[in-house]
Amino acid sequence: DIQMTQSPSFLSASVGDRVTLNCKASQNINKYLNWYQQKLGEAPKLLIYNANSLQTGIPSRFSGSGSGTDFTLTISSLQPEDVATYFCQQYYSGYTFGAGTKLELK
Amino acid sequence: QVTLKESGPGILQPSQTLSLTCSFSGFSLSTYGMCVGWIRQSSGKGLEWLANIWWNDDKYYNPSLKNRLTISKDTSNNQAFLKITNMDTADTATYYCASNNPYYFDYWGQGVMVTVSS
C-alpha cells in the first residue's frame, strides 16, 4: 500500500499569509496526486488534480506542485474562508488519502 | 449540475450488513468513462476509499476490505449501491459517494453517518 504523510498536522496563519502544506508519498507516484479541502460539517472538495491542475471554479490563490514523492499545496494569500482541513490523495495505485492538515486563523 | 446523495440506515448492530444507496443526477453511469466511488471517513482511519464502479460495470475494491464489499448500480434509476457485510464498531463512519473521473473524486454527496452499536 502507498502511504501518504502530510505535514504539519496543524497550521495557524494570518490573513494574507502565504501558506505551504506538504504531502509525502511512501513511493514514487509521478504526478498522480490530488488535493481536497474539507470545511467543518461538509464533504471534501476537489482543489487540485494531477499535482498542479486547478479544478474549475477554484480561486487562483491555490496552487499545487511536486512530483515523485514530495508535493506541496500553496495558498498565496490566506483568506478567512480558507479555514479548513486539507487532504492529499494518490491514485498511482488504488486511492489513499493523507491524514490531513488542519488550517486555522491566527 | 451534478449532485449526489447517500442514504442508509443510520444505525445497525455488529455483524449486520450495511446497505447504502447513492442517488445522483447530472450524469449517467451508462456514459463512457463515468465512474462512481464510495469513500468513508472516521476519526480513527481518516478518509478511506472503499470501492468504485464504472459505466461498463467494472468494479474495483479496496484490497483490505474486498471480502466484505459489494458494489452495484442501477443505471436506469441513476443509483449506485454498496453493501458491507459483518459490520463492526470500527466501521462507524460517515460514508460518501462521489463521481469518480476516475483519477479524482470531483463531486461528492453530503455523506451519511453510520453508527455500529449493540
Side-chain angles (χ1 to χ4, degrees), chain A residues 27-83:
Chain A
Q27 66 179 73
N28 184 355
I29 59 169
N30 294 326
K31 294 180 69 176
Y32 299 156
L33 190 283
N34 306 317
W35 289 96
Y36 299 84
Q37 175 194 65
Q38 186 177 30
K39 297 183 178 180
L40 195 63
E42 298 183 4
K45 178 181 180 181
L46 178 67
L47 298 177
I48 301 285
Y49 61 94
N50 199 32
N52 60 12
S53 296
L54 192 66
Q55 172 68 343
T56 303
I58 301 302
S60 59
R61 64 180 180 273
F62 291 92
S63 64
S65 64
S67 66
T69 60
D70 293 293
F71 301 87
T72 299
L73 174 70
T74 300
I75 308 173
S76 61
S77 178
L78 185 67
Q79 300 302 304
E81 60 266 31
D82 300 335
V83 168

Side-chain angles (χ1 to χ4, degrees), chain A residues 3-7 22-26 69 88 97-100:
Chain A
Q3 309 301 319
M4 307 302 294
T5 302
Q6 292 187 242
S7 62
N22 302 298
C23 177
K24 188 175 184 69
S26 60
T69 60
C88 59
F97 293 84

